[in-house]
Amino acid sequence: AAALAGTGLARASEGEEVITEIQDWNRYPGDGVDARPYGQPSQFEAHVVRKNVPWLTSDSISSINFTPLHELDGIITPNGLCFERHHAGIAEIEPGSHRLMINGLVDRQLVFTMADLKRFPRENRIFFLECAANSGMEWRGAQLNGCQFTHGMIHCVAYTGVRLKYLLEEAGVKTAGKWLLAEGADASAMTRSIPMEKALDDCMVAFAMNGEALRPEQGYPIRLVVPGWEGNMWIKWLRRLEVGDEPWEQREETSKYTDLLANGKARRHTWVMDVKSVITNPSPQAPITHGKGAMVLSGLAWSGNGAISRVDVSIDGGRNWHAARIDGPSLPMALHRFYYEFDWDGSELFLQSRAIDDRGFIQPTKEQLRSVRGPNSIYHNNGIQTWHVDGEGVVENVEIS
Amino acid sequence: AAALAGTGLARASEGEEVITEIQDWNRYPGDGVDARPYGQPSQFEAHVVRKNVPWLTSDSISSINFTPLHELDGIITPNGLCFERHHAGIAEIEPGSHRLMINGLVDRQLVFTMADLKRFPRENRIFFLECAANSGMEWRGAQLNGCQFTHGMIHCVAYTGVRLKYLLEEAGVKTAGKWLLAEGADASAMTRSIPMEKALDDCMVAFAMNGEALRPEQGYPIRLVVPGWEGNMWIKWLRRLEVGDEPWEQREETSKYTDLLANGKARRHTWVMDVKSVITNPSPQAPITHGKGAMVLSGLAWSGNGAISRVDVSIDGGRNWHAARIDGPSLPMALHRFYYEFDWDGSELFLQSRAIDDRGFIQPTKEQLRSVRGPNSIYHNNGIQTWHVDGEGVVENVEIS
Amino acid sequence: SLAAQDAPAAGKFGIGREATPEEVAAWDIDVRPDGLGLPEGRGTAAEGMAIYDENCASCHGDFGEAVDRWPVLAGGQGTLENERPEKTIGSYWPHLSTVYDYVRRAMPFGNARSLSDDDVYALTAYLLYLNDIVDDEDFELSKENFTSIKLPNADNFIEDDRESEPHYADKSDPCMRDCKPDKAEVKMHAAVLDVTPENADDNAPQGGID
Amino acid sequence: SLAAQDAPAAGKFGIGREATPEEVAAWDIDVRPDGLGLPEGRGTAAEGMAIYDENCASCHGDFGEAVDRWPVLAGGQGTLENERPEKTIGSYWPHLSTVYDYVRRAMPFGNARSLSDDDVYALTAYLLYLNDIVDDEDFELSKENFTSIKLPNADNFIEDDRESEPHYADKSDPCMRDCKPDKAEVKMHAAVLDVTPENADDNAPQGGID
Ligand code: HEC
Ligand code: HEC
Ligand SMILES: [Ca+2]
Ligand SMILES: [Ca+2]
Ligand SMILES: [Ca+2]
Ligand SMILES: [Ca+2]
Ligand SMILES: [Ca+2]
Ligand SMILES: [Ca+2]
Ligand SMILES: [Co+2]
Ligand SMILES: [Co+2]
């Protein structure tokens, strides 16, 4: 137990004033039930926000911001904190003016209103969405100092929507229809090609996230849900689905979202987000402030291949590993929350986590990735992250031997 | 398919202008990633808010508001829409000034800071919280016209926190300690007695909801989580836990939250929230607007005794029942989302839902409840709700034969 | 004692610190039916009346009958089986300790914790007087005589026995087909009552939610 | 034809209505490598230059070299194996159709869909010219000759083969004890680079996120 002297007691023989004195909130009533029709976080949580990195992109309209993973717990990301990536800013669409069209190799080219979509059978699924460029800065080594910046292009949300399969079946996909083009209604008219097999398997057209309508920055009134696959494919403000016999090779699947290897070749169709994890606490933005003793290490793990079967944690930079405790729902293609509780002796730590998914894929080291791919892939960096903790509990993003 | 004439086409030979004309959001960029550090719902969802009923209570500071269940889907309630019930308004507590004390029949009377609490092992659980007075107005028959008002004193949230057991063990509960008094730090200093068996079983001290810090109106920085039991026991702004050998018989467990029977006797210690369900769509605030044909009926079911094993739906006022489809996570003491898809022929409907939990309890009719208890219990009305749908799709709260 | 604080806590995790006696005293304000937690002190019904008229009557009424929709504190004896039961300290509450405890922690509404322990004894005595449980305005309530007072409705509370109700006790499969004879008929309309606040013409009905 | 709309849809649910040809035409603006989706039209590199200088050069530079951090559109040939590869239409993109498709749907940034189909042919021709893929400024690109143009890096794309990488192919249990010889040593510090925007002295490093 901490000595009482360190707890801010005015006079130790009495106790802390926040206990011995009646505080204002113990005496005077606060806001009533008419004050906050739609509630907000506490004024004391004003630091828990999405943050952008101005120099990463040319302007804020085609840019990204990052989820404050170090301030969150559990597996659900609150809607207000889900990272944003737009290519032409946030489209503000009145849902009565929104349409979803299905065209191309179908028996009937169809147009749906929002009201139409809500007449199809619905389902509810929890999925992570990770930008393929998440941790992209780390290809060249430790650069940004905080898991919000190194790993914050991910969120995990409970979606409600309609199986894409039902919509495609309603239009009647012709035998030659092997690919789907999904298109957004924003000013970038974002497009991606999706193989029909995935489209008919587990994709959804979602209209709600975490219980309420999608947020504008997440594609209100509808977005495509492509479980386990790179976030760019989850077309927001979805307005059109075209069925075709070949992929479209759009800008976002050629110029971008292809992975340049050391030999100048580039991988295309790298859709799955690989098995990955990160320690969110402690981390550079969340140092250890309580000194030695019992402590909770926490983090997130995920895989586009399925559920996470195990997470290992090392406190000595990968020399020795300990199985972490996965707590809360363990769902395929969703975030998993892990904890590792230990007694800190106050000495230097090198923290790492390593996730294993239920298809047996093991999260690789950054060195393993770089040795195969070189440093120019930008996307799909799922390497093991290292945080250095010094004797004061200060945490830094480092690369180690 | 609806005739094109009914879809607002300017000239049917061309198509709808929202498709054939380039809309502003297709051309001009919107807000960038620096505009909304903490995001909000779309401007077009401004009607999705908690609502209070001014005449229900003497003032808004000791009052309630209601979750707009008819606007939500899935099982998670967004934090901004979780119904509020305060007895002295919203306490605004700076977390650095908050303390949790354990006193009474323990080996060591302890004080914890928020930082201390975050050093105990954490867990993540999804639970509903229902006010015992939810549907209380319905004891005397159909009164309020909307499921937000009849059933909206419920929410379901993913909590992160510490098992109460660990905190009590840290203090060391003496053998005589059979009851726990939980006390809040607000101006009502809310208190409830909880049997030690429940406290050691599944109660938690939660600091996060749906991934982020608790909201002020839900007890920031900490609240007690008492799974499956009436919401009043889930002490907000939790500041003290006293261990004792007898219950305290506080105002909220004598004057309130006791259930007056027809014979003048009153039940006390009625903690569990019984098996219950309600159809959220269609409902009085969410009429059928799409006419005949395929439609989705949806609702929520829950039980303080465990998970929901089945939900039945009737469209003819309980003459015939159909098993509904439960979709999404099915977790003990959490909301369950159910759907029943059918073709509406445009005729009058009497919609009802009936939940069955995994202990075999069946949701009773209001008549069954009234015949045993009379109309004065206020609390624990889990009777089957009836919505009448007329040929135009207008929905009304009714009592039927 | 503070010396003990420097030693490691005996708990499994060693987290937290021991509370000081002053801290426990500051927060440990609850009172139980057996008198545990009652502070030293005393006050008469007559003294209570003065405090009540000053601090309480504006909401709860001169005689505990309540102003507007604020809570009623007195009267209602014998109404518990009526169509509109009136539940007060005198008609419903089982324990006097609850009055002392609650007034001390939460009243007067808007300025909680502003009363002295003696004030609360006096107010509790006066609430007994308003409820005809004591008749003498010089009646003095104190820590010493507190537990000798029994409230009239004390014996009318029973333990939760919901599980024995027929609809719960019956675990047979519920009816699925032709469960009721005739077509459903509406017996009561919410729209007729028209008390839903979303409609323009809001009319407050009797009753509410406690 | 609209007459068909009154008949019930043949889909299982009968939800939605058939799209009119004009509606499909309005939204079906995508172009594929095989030319599917290309509109009628044509434009020369010289015409493209005028449109480019007016609408594009302010961001992408007079020669496609880019202003500030806006995207580079030309150059970079032969840099893909360098430490800092420059990925442009000429150095990296596999298909010309992508240029037409993307410029038509999304450029100029801030005023998308403002160009005519001929404008986009001309701009695409000019981007070929800036990338030294055509040398004649009178070169005319049209629906007819479009698919005859191959981009230099077209053959350097391979299908995803991540699962064959050694670290994924090896499914043996990972090491748990004494997995590396010496104590860990720091090889690189983020704090030394100091590019994290939360610190006061933000310095933009080279590179960024596409
Ligand atoms: C400004 C209005 C107001 C004033 C002044 C006020 N009260 Fe109250 N009183 C309330 C409200 C509101 C409640 C119910 C609070 C809640 O929701 O828990 C209440 C509840 C009570 C109750 C419990 C009633 C029940 O049936 O459960 C008692 C006893 C009580 N007050 C006594 C007092 C006394 C004694 C005073 C003066 C020292 C006082 N009140 C002053 C508004 C007031
Ligand atoms: C106001 C700045 C601006 C103007 C003007 C502009 N662009 Fe762009 N351009 C951008 C941005 C920003 C992007 C990247 C958008 C994104 O994030 O998807 C881009 C992307 C592109 C790309 C894809 C680059 C790649 O490597 O993937 C092409 C091709 C392009 N622009 C061509 C044009 C043409 C042709 C014009 C004129 C008709 C034009 N741009 C006008 C800002 C501009
Ligand atoms: Ca006590
Ligand atoms: Ca009297
Ligand atoms: Ca009304
Ligand atoms: Ca097309
Ligand atoms: Ca040239
Ligand atoms: Ca900096
Ligand atoms: Co914080
Ligand atoms: Co709505």
Side-chain angles (χ1 to χ4, degrees):
Chain A
L4 194 54
T7 59
L9 286 185
R11 281 165 48 204
S13 64
E14 293 181 346
E16 290 188 277
E17 276 193 8
V18 291
I19 298 176
T20 56
E21 309 275 300
I22 295 171
Q23 305 295 308
D24 280 357
W25 55 85
N26 305 151
R27 171 161 286 167
Y28 306 115
D31 269 358
V33 297
D34 49 357
R36 307 181 188 182
Y38 192 93
Q40 298 302 321
S42 163
Q43 59 185 285
F44 304 108
E45 297 291 316
H47 57 290
V48 182
V49 288
R50 304 186 281 219
K51 286 186 179 156
N52 68 321
V53 175
W55 50 257
L56 271 184
T57 51
S58 42
D59 74 334
S60 69
I61 293 169
S62 172
S63 191
I64 43 161
N65 61 26
F66 300 91
T67 297
L69 300 178
H70 61 295
E71 291 283 358
L72 305 180
D73 215 318
I75 69 161
I76 297 290
T77 315
N79 288 345
L81 295 174
C82 289
F83 83 93
E84 300 175 71
R85 176 28 164 158
H86 326 121
H87 291 261
I90 304 173
E92 300 278 356
I93 303 180
E94 192 272 303
S97 298
H98 192 72
R99 299 289 180 271
L100 175 61
M101 178 188 289
I102 301 184
N103 73 311
L105 298 178
V106 291
D107 297 334
R108 291 167 298 284
Q109 304 196 114
L110 293 178
V111 172
F112 299 111
T113 62
M114 286 302 300
D116 291 336
L117 292 176
K118 293 186 178 174
R119 298 171 63 191
F120 286 94
R122 295 175 206 170
E123 70 177 46
N124 297 279
R125 300 286 300 276
I126 299 175
F127 295 121
F128 77 80
L129 180 164
E130 184 183 18
C131 176
N134 201 20
S135 317
M137 291 290 289
E138 298 289 304
W139 278 110
R140 297 187 175 277
Q143 302 215 24
L144 289 161
N145 213 12
C147 72
Q148 180 168 17
F149 304 107
T150 57
H151 289 74
M153 287 200 278
I154 190 163
H155 55 67
C156 185
V157 157
Y159 294 96
T160 307
V162 173
R163 278 267 178 160
L164 185 52
K165 184 177 66 172
Y166 291 133
L167 302 180
L168 293 172
E169 284 172 358
E170 192 72 9
V173 174
K174 292 192 193 291
T175 319
K178 295 295 176 213
W179 288 85
L180 192 67
L181 185 76
E183 184 180 74
D186 65 322
S188 81
M190 174 60 60
T191 39
R192 284 297 298 258
S193 304
I194 297 161
M196 188 58 72
E197 198 184 337
K198 178 74 174 176
L200 294 176
D201 176 17
D202 59 5
C203 290
M204 292 168 64
V205 173
F207 49 78
M209 60 193 288
N210 290 335
E212 66 187 347
L214 278 189
R215 291 294 176 84
E217 61 269 36
Q218 302 299 337
Y220 178 88
I222 44 172
R223 95 173 301 163
L224 194 64
V225 169
V226 190
W229 288 19
E230 53 190 28
N232 182 262
M233 305 179 82
W234 299 47
I235 302 296
K236 301 193 282 193
W237 311 290
L238 182 71
R239 77 162 175 203
R240 189 167 68 96
L241 296 164
E242 179 169 341
V243 176
D245 55 353
E246 281 176 24
W248 276 259
E249 307 293 351
Q250 296 276 292
R251 185 248 189 176
E252 301 285 321
E253 47 210 20
T254 52
S255 168
K256 311 298 171 195
Y257 300 100
T258 48
D259 309 355
L260 181 57
L261 303 175
N263 64 2
K265 300 269 177 193
R267 287 186 178 129
R268 62 174 196 169
H269 300 162
T270 50
W271 300 308
V272 174
M273 297 309 300
D274 297 304
V275 61
K276 190 167 173 180
S277 68
V278 66
I279 294 169
T280 56
N281 304 80
S283 64
Q285 300 158 291
I288 307 174
T289 53
H290 56 63
K292 300 178 188 186
M295 68 167 286
V296 173
L297 176 156
S298 181
L300 294 166
W302 62 94
S303 169
N305 292 307
I308 293 295
S309 56
R310 199 176 94 200
V311 180
D312 300 323
V313 165
S314 173
I315 62 173
D316 60 6
R319 274 64 189 163
N320 296 282
W321 295 88
H322 316 273
R325 178 172 64 85
I326 293 177
D327 184 87
S330 170
L331 300 167
M333 296 165 290
L335 287 186
H336 290 62
R337 172 63 61 179
F338 67 86
Y339 299 102
Y340 175 64
E341 294 95 6
F342 67 103
D343 255 48
W344 185 37
D345 61 5
S347 67
E348 183 181 60
L349 304 172
F350 292 97
L351 304 179
Q352 298 185 332
S353 63
R354 174 177 70 191
I356 306 177
D357 71 25
D358 62 6
R359 279 193 54 208
F361 291 111
I362 303 167
Q363 184 180 3
T365 63
K366 288 184 187 172
E367 279 316 316
Q368 286 174 321
L369 289 172
R370 288 180 193 131
S371 71
V372 179
R373 303 184 195 172
N376 288 331
S377 278
I378 299 177
Y379 308 104
H380 297 289
N381 187 337
N382 63 324
I384 289 174
Q385 181 69 39
T386 310
W387 306 129
H388 175 256
V389 183
D390 74 12
E392 306 298 309
V394 173
V395 186
E396 192 196 350
N397 178 6
V398 297
E399 301 265 328
I400 56 167
S401 59
Chain B
L4 194 53
T7 60
L9 285 186
R11 282 165 49 203
S13 65
E14 292 180 347
E16 289 188 276
E17 276 191 10
V18 291
I19 298 176
T20 56
E21 308 275 300
I22 294 170
Q23 305 294 311
D24 281 355
W25 55 86
N26 306 149
R27 171 160 285 167
Y28 306 115
D31 269 358
V33 296
D34 49 356
R36 307 181 187 182
Y38 193 94
Q40 298 301 323
S42 163
Q43 59 186 285
F44 304 108
E45 297 292 314
H47 57 290
V48 183
V49 288
R50 304 185 282 218
K51 286 185 180 157
N52 67 321
V53 175
W55 49 257
L56 272 183
T57 50
S58 41
D59 75 334
S60 70
I61 293 169
S62 174
S63 190
I64 43 162
N65 60 25
F66 300 91
T67 297
L69 299 179
H70 60 294
E71 291 283 358
L72 305 181
D73 214 318
I75 68 162
I76 297 290
T77 315
N79 288 346
L81 295 173
C82 289
F83 83 94
E84 299 174 72
R85 176 29 164 157
H86 325 122
H87 291 261
I90 303 173
E92 300 278 357
I93 303 179
E94 192 272 303
S97 299
H98 193 70
R99 298 290 180 272
L100 176 62
M101 179 188 288
I102 301 184
N103 73 313
L105 298 178
V106 291
D107 297 334
R108 291 167 299 283
Q109 305 196 115
L110 293 178
V111 172
F112 299 111
T113 61
M114 286 303 298
D116 290 337
L117 293 175
K118 293 186 179 175
R119 297 173 62 193
F120 285 94
R122 297 175 202 170
E123 70 177 47
N124 296 280
R125 301 286 302 275
I126 298 175
F127 295 121
F128 76 80
L129 180 165
E130 185 182 18
C131 177
N134 201 21
S135 317
M137 292 290 291
E138 299 289 304
W139 279 109
R140 297 187 175 277
Q143 300 215 25
L144 290 162
N145 213 12
C147 71
Q148 180 168 17
F149 304 108
T150 58
H151 289 74
M153 287 199 278
I154 190 164
H155 57 67
C156 185
V157 156
Y159 294 95
T160 307
V162 173
R163 278 267 178 160
L164 185 51
K165 186 177 64 172
Y166 291 132
L167 303 180
L168 292 172
E169 284 172 357
E170 193 71 9
V173 174
K174 292 190 193 293
T175 319
K178 296 294 176 216
W179 288 84
L180 191 67
L181 185 75
E183 183 179 76
D186 66 322
S188 81
M190 174 61 62
T191 38
R192 284 296 297 258
S193 305
I194 297 160
M196 187 59 71
E197 199 183 337
K198 179 74 175 175
L200 295 177
D201 177 16
D202 59 4
C203 290
M204 290 166 67
V205 173
F207 48 80
M209 60 193 288
N210 291 336
E212 66 187 349
L214 278 189
R215 290 294 176 84
E217 61 269 36
Q218 303 298 340
Y220 179 86
I222 46 173
R223 96 174 300 163
L224 194 65
V225 168
V226 190
W229 287 20
E230 55 191 24
N232 182 262
M233 305 178 81
W234 300 47
I235 302 298
K236 301 192 281 193
W237 311 289
L238 181 71
R239 77 163 175 205
R240 191 167 67 96
L241 297 164
E242 178 169 342
V243 177
D245 55 351
E246 281 176 24
W248 275 259
E249 307 293 352
Q250 296 277 290
R251 185 249 190 175
E252 301 286 321
E253 48 208 20
T254 53
S255 168
K256 310 299 170 196
Y257 300 101
T258 48
D259 309 355
L260 180 57
L261 303 174
N263 63 2
K265 300 269 179 196
R267 288 186 176 127
R268 63 173 195 169
H269 300 162
T270 51
W271 301 307
V272 174
M273 297 308 301
D274 297 304
V275 61
K276 189 167 172 181
S277 67
V278 66
I279 293 169
T280 55
N281 304 80
S283 64
Q285 299 158 290
I288 306 175
T289 54
H290 56 64
K292 300 179 188 183
M295 69 168 284
V296 173
L297 175 155
S298 181
L300 292 166
W302 62 94
S303 170
N305 292 307
I308 293 295
S309 56
R310 200 175 94 200
V311 180
D312 299 325
V313 166
S314 172
I315 63 174
D316 60 6
R319 276 62 189 163
N320 295 283
W321 295 89
H322 316 273
R325 176 172 65 85
I326 293 177
D327 184 88
S330 171
L331 300 167
M333 295 165 290
L335 287 186
H336 290 62
R337 171 63 59 178
F338 67 85
Y339 299 103
Y340 176 63
E341 293 95 6
F342 67 103
D343 255 48
W344 185 38
D345 61 6
S347 68
E348 182 181 62
L349 304 172
F350 292 97
L351 304 180
Q352 296 186 333
S353 65
R354 174 177 71 190
I356 307 176
D357 70 26
D358 62 6
R359 280 193 53 208
F361 291 112
I362 303 167
Q363 184 179 4
T365 64
K366 289 184 187 173
E367 280 316 316
Q368 285 174 320
L369 288 173
R370 288 179 192 130
S371 72
V372 179
R373 304 185 194 171
N376 288 331
S377 279
I378 300 177
Y379 308 105
H380 297 289
N381 186 337
N382 63 325
I384 290 173
Q385 181 69 37
T386 309
W387 305 130
H388 175 256
V389 183
D390 75 12
E392 306 298 308
V394 173
V395 185
E396 192 195 352
N397 178 6
V398 297
E399 301 264 328
I400 56 168
S401 58
Chain C
S1 93
L2 285 179
Q5 313 266 336
D6 295 311
K12 179 174 159 200
F13 293 95
I15 302 170
R17 64 167 177 85
E18 286 204 25
T20 68
E22 291 81 0
E23 288 174 332
V24 174
W27 278 6
D28 186 12
I29 56 168
D30 53 273
V31 179
R32 269 194 346 199
D34 61 1
L36 188 76
L38 277 174
E40 298 301 330
R42 62 200 59 253
T44 65
E47 288 161 357
M49 176 163 74
I51 303 165
Y52 181 94
D53 288 348
E54 176 84 11
N55 295 282
C56 321
S58 59
C59 295
H60 295 292
D62 283 341
F63 307 101
E65 78 286 11
V67 175
D68 300 334
R69 287 175 171 267
W70 303 101
V72 178
L73 300 184
Q77 278 92 335
T79 68
L80 295 184
E81 295 172 50
N82 291 5
E83 202 189 321
R84 301 280 173 192
E86 194 159 79
K87 296 190 278 183
T88 71
I89 295 167
S91 71
Y92 192 65
W93 292 32
H95 308 289
L96 188 61
S97 58
T98 311
V99 180
Y100 194 98
D101 175 283
Y102 183 70
V103 172
R104 180 155 72 153
R105 69 173 60 248
M107 289 295 132
F109 192 72
N111 193 19
R113 310 295 303 280
S114 59
L115 301 167
S116 73
D117 292 344
D118 282 349
D119 288 347
V120 181
Y121 276 111
L123 282 164
T124 306
Y126 186 58
L127 286 166
L128 287 171
Y129 180 87
L130 284 178
N131 275 287
D132 294 329
I133 295 164
V134 301
D135 288 328
D136 181 356
E137 61 183 41
D138 296 325
F139 168 75
E140 184 185 71
L141 189 66
S142 67
K143 183 180 182 186
E144 288 66 38
N145 70 354
F146 195 96
T147 57
S148 69
I149 313 286
K150 301 289 167 222
L151 296 188
N153 197 46
D155 295 335
N156 285 322
F157 288 80
I158 60 170
E159 289 299 303
D160 183 8
D161 61 351
R162 280 174 291 169
E163 294 197 5
S164 68
E165 291 177 340
H167 45 268
Y168 288 137
D170 176 9
K171 292 282 194 325
S172 61
D173 282 349
C175 173
M176 294 297 282
R177 288 273 157 269
D178 302 322
C179 305
K180 290 184 162 195
D182 304 310
K183 198 180 162 313
E185 297 273 342
V186 174
K187 293 193 303 181
M188 184 174 176
H189 289 268
V192 170
L193 198 63
D194 190 20
V195 292
T196 309
E198 294 200 303
N199 305 333
D201 53 340
D202 292 335
N203 305 308
Q206 297 224 319
I209 286 176
D210 286 89
Chain D
S1 95
L2 286 178
Q5 314 264 338
D6 295 312
K12 179 175 161 200
F13 293 96
I15 302 171
R17 63 167 177 85
E18 286 203 28
T20 68
E22 291 80 1
E23 288 175 331
V24 174
W27 278 6
D28 186 11
I29 58 168
D30 52 273
V31 179
R32 266 193 348 198
D34 62 1
L36 188 77
L38 276 175
E40 298 300 330
R42 62 198 61 253
T44 65
E47 289 162 357
M49 177 163 74
I51 303 165
Y52 181 93
D53 288 349
E54 176 85 13
N55 294 283
C56 321
S58 60
C59 295
H60 294 293
D62 283 342
F63 307 101
E65 78 286 10
V67 175
D68 300 336
R69 288 175 170 267
W70 303 100
V72 177
L73 299 185
Q77 278 91 336
T79 68
L80 295 185
E81 294 172 52
N82 291 4
E83 202 189 319
R84 300 280 174 192
E86 194 161 77
K87 296 190 280 182
T88 71
I89 294 168
S91 71
Y92 193 66
W93 291 34
H95 307 290
L96 187 62
S97 58
T98 312
V99 180
Y100 194 99
D101 176 283
Y102 183 70
V103 172
R104 180 156 72 152
R105 71 173 57 249
M107 290 293 130
F109 192 72
N111 193 19
R113 309 294 304 279
S114 59
L115 301 167
S116 73
D117 292 343
D118 283 347
D119 289 347
V120 180
Y121 276 112
L123 282 164
T124 306
Y126 186 58
L127 286 165
L128 287 172
Y129 180 86
L130 284 178
N131 275 287
D132 294 329
I133 295 164
V134 301
D135 288 328
D136 181 356
E137 62 181 42
D138 295 327
F139 168 75
E140 185 185 72
L141 189 67
S142 67
K143 183 180 182 185
E144 288 66 36
N145 69 355
F146 195 96
T147 57
S148 69
I149 312 287
K150 301 290 168 222
L151 296 188
N153 196 46
D155 294 335
N156 285 321
F157 287 81
I158 59 170
E159 289 299 302
D160 184 7
D161 60 351
R162 280 175 291 169
E163 293 198 5
S164 67
E165 291 177 341
H167 45 267
Y168 287 138
D170 176 10
K171 291 282 194 329
S172 61
D173 282 349
C175 174
M176 294 296 281
R177 287 275 158 267
D178 302 321
C179 305
K180 288 184 163 193
D182 304 311
K183 198 178 165 310
E185 297 274 341
V186 174
K187 293 194 302 181
M188 185 175 177
H189 288 270
V192 170
L193 199 64
D194 190 21
V195 293
T196 309
E198 292 200 303
N199 305 335
D201 52 341
D202 291 336
N203 306 309
Q206 298 223 317
I209 286 176
D210 286 86

